[in-house]
Amino acid sequence: MTSAPANLIAVRSLLLTYLNVDKNVGKDADLEPGEVGIVGDASHLGGYHCGADRVVANDYSVVESSRDSSGLTLNASALDIGMFSVASGGRTHTLRSMSNWLVAQCVAGAADSTDIREIIYSPDGSTVKRWDRLGRRTTGDSSHLTHTHISFFRDSTKANRDQTPLFRRYLISIGLMEDEMSAEAESQINNIYTGMFFGGSSMGRSVDPDGSGPRTAGNSLVSKLDYVMLRLDELAAQVQTLSTKDFTDEPAIVSGVLAGLPPEKIAAAIPPQLAKDVADELARRLVA
């Protein structure tokens, strides 16, 4: 029996969440649950609203693309969207404007539109057009004056590939949904800014960035960087001072070495000619 695949049920749920404005009262302006369909009624045979049990011979929704023939299952692979009108961002948005937006995304080759085979719609309420990725057809019957039909290649429903991103982008573009990625990025930027300039409980110990200067101790990244730079400047000054000093006291070293050696060791360490010269000098001094 033909059934609705989970990925298209998710799209239907998304649209009803944001376009069925008053969920407790049926209104012409709202997109009501009965206006968003996936599976064709019992008399419907052939086409993307039917699964393998209800397709017909040479069904265009199967034979014109290997993506359809290889993806044929009992799942329907189409979505019908009815009339609605919602105000958002100072503008009124309708099925017409949404259909035109979806077609424009498909024409532009948007990455999240590549699973769409065709869109049958009315851009103005008086003519019916069909955008067909395969370029086979350009028109549709008059029922599409009041609803837009979207066919998805059957391999995408077989794979249960998420089809909500395109429709999320539409809802974001008209201001009915918040861009979750932008909100997350904004939160991350705020966290970085707070940590950079103000710190917080997760930033570790506080430091006094300028020592005896006017700034108070803090644990922000800026405080810690200032603290590190101050200490590095102090260390560099100390190294410069030490580099100008001679820490070698040669007389003391010689005296210390000689004090630890017995006379015979000292004599043995003196070369013969030097020993003779020393002896002569000592004899001269004694005579004097």
Side-chain angles (χ1 to χ4, degrees):
M1 170 181 273
T2 295
S3 58
N7 61 345
L8 296 190
I9 291 175
V11 174
R12 179 179 186 273
S13 176
L14 176 69
L15 294 177
L16 288 173
T17 296
Y18 289 92
L19 299 178
N20 184 13
V21 179
D22 190 342
K23 295 175 176 54
N24 297 319
V25 179
K27 296 180 178 179
D28 290 340
D30 282 5
L31 185 65
E32 301 296 339
E35 295 177 305
V36 189
I38 299 174
V39 177
D41 61 28
S43 62
H44 199 119
L45 296 177
Y48 286 93
H49 284 295
C50 297
D53 61 326
R54 288 162 57 182
V55 296
V56 297
N58 295 317
D59 196 315
Y60 91 104
S61 72
V62 178
V63 302
E64 291 183 351
S65 170
S66 60
R67 294 190 60 182
D68 289 324
S69 58
S70 65
L72 181 62
T73 65
L74 286 174
N75 286 327
S77 198
L79 187 70
D80 281 347
I81 305 171
M83 302 289 285
F84 66 86
S85 178
V86 296
S88 177
R91 298 179 61 185
T92 298
H93 306 276
T94 66
L95 177 66
R96 313 287 183 223
S97 58
M98 183 180 78
S99 300
N100 290 328
W101 186 91
L102 291 172
V103 170
Q105 297 303 304
C106 291
V107 171
D112 51 8
S113 73
T114 56
D115 284 332
I116 293 180
R117 154 69 197 270
E118 63 183 354
I119 300 177
I120 311 175
Y121 68 108
S122 175
D124 54 15
S126 59
T127 59
V128 174
K129 292 186 176 182
R130 182 191 308 229
W131 176 84
D132 185 351
R133 189 175 299 276
L134 301 182
R136 298 295 190 99
R137 297 166 186 83
T138 59
T139 61
D141 64 56
S142 60
S143 69
H144 298 93
L145 291 172
T146 55
H147 81 274
T148 291
H149 168 94
I150 305 172
S151 299
F152 298 83
F153 285 113
R154 292 183 183 273
D155 62 354
S156 67
T157 51
K158 182 178 182 180
N160 195 32
R161 194 149 47 241
D162 186 9
Q163 301 299 337
T164 59
L166 177 64
F167 297 90
R168 288 181 184 278
R169 282 205 299 117
Y170 169 70
L171 294 170
I172 291 169
S173 73
I174 65 173
L176 286 181
M177 275 189 77
E178 181 180 5
D179 188 341
E180 295 174 358
M181 292 299 293
S182 295
E184 181 181 357
E186 183 177 345
S187 175
Q188 291 174 347
I189 291 171
N190 181 67
N191 290 339
I192 292 172
Y193 178 85
T194 300
M196 180 71 72
F197 294 102
F198 302 102
S201 59
S202 64
M203 298 295 288
R205 71 183 181 89
S206 295
V207 297
D208 190 348
D210 55 356
S212 59
R215 294 187 58 184
T216 59
N219 66 355
S220 70
L221 291 177
V222 169
S223 294
K224 292 182 177 180
L225 287 172
D226 286 348
Y227 177 84
V228 170
M229 292 305 299
L230 177 66
R231 298 302 177 266
L232 285 176
D233 289 342
E234 292 174 348
L235 179 59
Q238 292 171 0
V239 170
Q240 179 64 28
T241 299
L242 292 174
S243 68
T244 63
K245 292 185 177 181
D246 183 1
F247 294 95
T248 305
D249 188 348
E250 290 87 352
I253 294 173
V254 172
S255 176
V257 171
L258 294 178
L261 296 175
E264 60 272 16
K265 293 290 187 181
I266 296 174
I270 299 175
Q273 183 59 47
L274 179 58
K276 181 178 181 304
D277 293 342
V278 170
D280 291 345
E281 177 62 22
L282 290 173
R284 185 186 66 78
R285 292 184 182 184
L286 290 173
V287 171

